[in-house]
């Protein structure tokens, strides 16, 4: 990865503190939780769900469009919460999707992260890594739909584990997550049928 034109270890650990934030920023900051999950842990789970599901859906397909989609999905899954590194905290789903001004909040965050990425990669505009990081902020709609489903899977998994350990304060949020997961699954099925003429049944 090219950080400020360098690819040595010092550039990954000193010039950019963002990588270290992956382990320090925790999700569910506004909830009472027994276990704390970092952005890095959550993102890994989302990518794992995504990679596994893609294999079940497409198998070893060598169709260029499918292969590109798989790479784009896993890449976005790994970095879908990249904005939290730049703003130094997790922002709850209720805040980002609130009825009053959720859309404006998401737009402002996206614009800020685009600015921050361009500033971080200043001087590397011609590198492939620069283009990848810029595209992470606004991926293809189909990629975002698939990763969002995997994101809800990871969140439901975390909440279910909390409840199994006796954290009943998460029960209400678990119901909310399940409804969101159901809607996300329908979006994925519609998208796969439309984009790849692929009919799937999703069980979770």
């Amino acid at each position: 990865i090219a950080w400020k034109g360098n690819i040595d270890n010092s550039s990954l650990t000193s010039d950019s503190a963002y990588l270290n934030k992956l382990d320090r920023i925790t999700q569910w900051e506004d909830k009472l939780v027994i276990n704390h999950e970092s952005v890095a842990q959550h993102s890994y789970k989302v990518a794992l769900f995504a990679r596994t599901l893609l294999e079940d859906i497409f198998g070893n397909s060598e169709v260029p469009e499918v292969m590109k989609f798989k790479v784009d999905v896993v890449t976005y899954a790994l970095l879908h919460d990249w904005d939290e590194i730049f703003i130094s905290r997790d922002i709850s789903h209720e805040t980002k999707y609130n009825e009053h001004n959720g859309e404006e909040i998401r737009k402002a965050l996206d614009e800020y992260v685009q600015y921050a990425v361009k500033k971080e990669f200043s001087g590397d505009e011609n590198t492939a890594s620069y283009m990848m990081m810029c595209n992470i902020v606004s991926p293809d709609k189909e990629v975002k739909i698939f990763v969002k489903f995997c994101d809800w899977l990871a969140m439901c998994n975390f909440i279910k584990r909390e409840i199994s350990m006796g954290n009943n304060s998460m029960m209400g949020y678990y119901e909310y997550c399940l409804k969101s997961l159901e809607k996300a699954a329908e979006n994925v099925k519609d998208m796969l049928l439309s984009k790849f003429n692929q009919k799937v049944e999703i069980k979770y």
Side-chain angles (χ1 to χ4, degrees):
I1 302 175
W3 294 79
K4 296 186 181 301
N6 301 315
I7 57 173
D8 58 274
N9 261 344
S10 61
S11 65
L12 293 175
T13 56
S14 59
D15 287 350
S16 177
Y18 300 123
L19 288 179
N20 294 330
K21 288 184 179 181
L22 284 168
D23 288 326
R24 293 202 308 271
I25 298 175
T26 58
Q27 303 212 322
W28 312 100
E29 290 185 20
D30 59 333
K31 301 290 187 297
L32 292 173
V33 296
I34 297 172
N35 291 304
H36 293 276
E37 185 175 64
S38 69
V39 173
Q41 290 172 307
H42 170 70
S43 297
Y44 175 77
K45 291 176 184 177
V46 175
L48 184 61
F49 278 125
R51 185 66 187 87
T52 304
L53 289 172
L54 287 167
E55 195 66 22
D56 284 342
I57 293 168
F58 296 110
N60 295 321
S61 173
E62 295 184 1
V63 175
E65 185 181 19
V66 170
M67 295 176 70
K68 182 181 184 304
F69 181 73
K70 291 169 76 171
V71 170
D72 290 346
V73 163
V74 175
T75 300
Y76 183 55
L78 286 169
L79 297 167
H80 74 284
D81 279 339
W82 184 250
D83 57 345
E84 296 178 5
I85 299 173
F86 287 93
I87 61 179
S88 299
R89 63 160 291 127
D90 171 47
I91 297 181
S92 70
H93 187 271
E94 293 98 328
T95 299
K96 289 193 289 187
Y97 290 89
N98 79 82
E99 295 180 359
H100 174 61
N101 64 345
E103 186 174 349
E104 288 84 354
I105 289 174
R106 295 194 302 275
K107 182 180 179 182
L109 286 173
D110 286 347
E111 289 176 352
Y112 172 72
V113 174
Q114 286 177 345
Y115 159 78
V117 167
K118 290 177 181 178
K119 182 179 180 181
E120 172 68 17
F121 284 85
S122 177
D124 293 320
E125 288 83 358
N126 295 322
T127 64
S129 57
Y130 172 84
M131 294 305 298
M132 180 192 74
M133 296 311 303
C134 287
N135 289 335
I136 286 299
V137 179
S138 53
D140 291 342
K141 179 181 178 181
E142 293 84 359
V143 170
K144 198 166 186 177
I145 287 173
F146 197 95
V147 172
K148 194 52 171 176
F149 173 67
C150 298
D151 193 16
W152 283 116
L153 276 176
M155 286 191 281
C156 284
N157 177 267
F158 177 86
I159 296 173
K160 189 175 181 180
R161 185 179 64 179
E162 283 287 305
I163 294 172
S164 72
M165 296 178 68
N167 186 357
N168 293 327
S169 68
M170 298 291 279
M171 286 294 296
Y173 203 66
Y174 185 57
E175 294 299 322
Y176 172 77
C177 275
L178 285 178
K179 290 180 180 178
S180 299
L181 181 61
E182 183 178 355
K183 182 178 179 180
E186 290 301 317
N187 290 339
V188 166
K189 289 195 290 186
D190 292 344
M191 179 274 293
L192 290 173
L193 184 60
S194 175
K195 184 176 179 65
F196 298 103
N197 195 31
Q198 189 91 5
K199 190 175 182 179
V200 298
E201 291 295 328
I202 299 178
K203 299 179 181 180
Y204 47 85

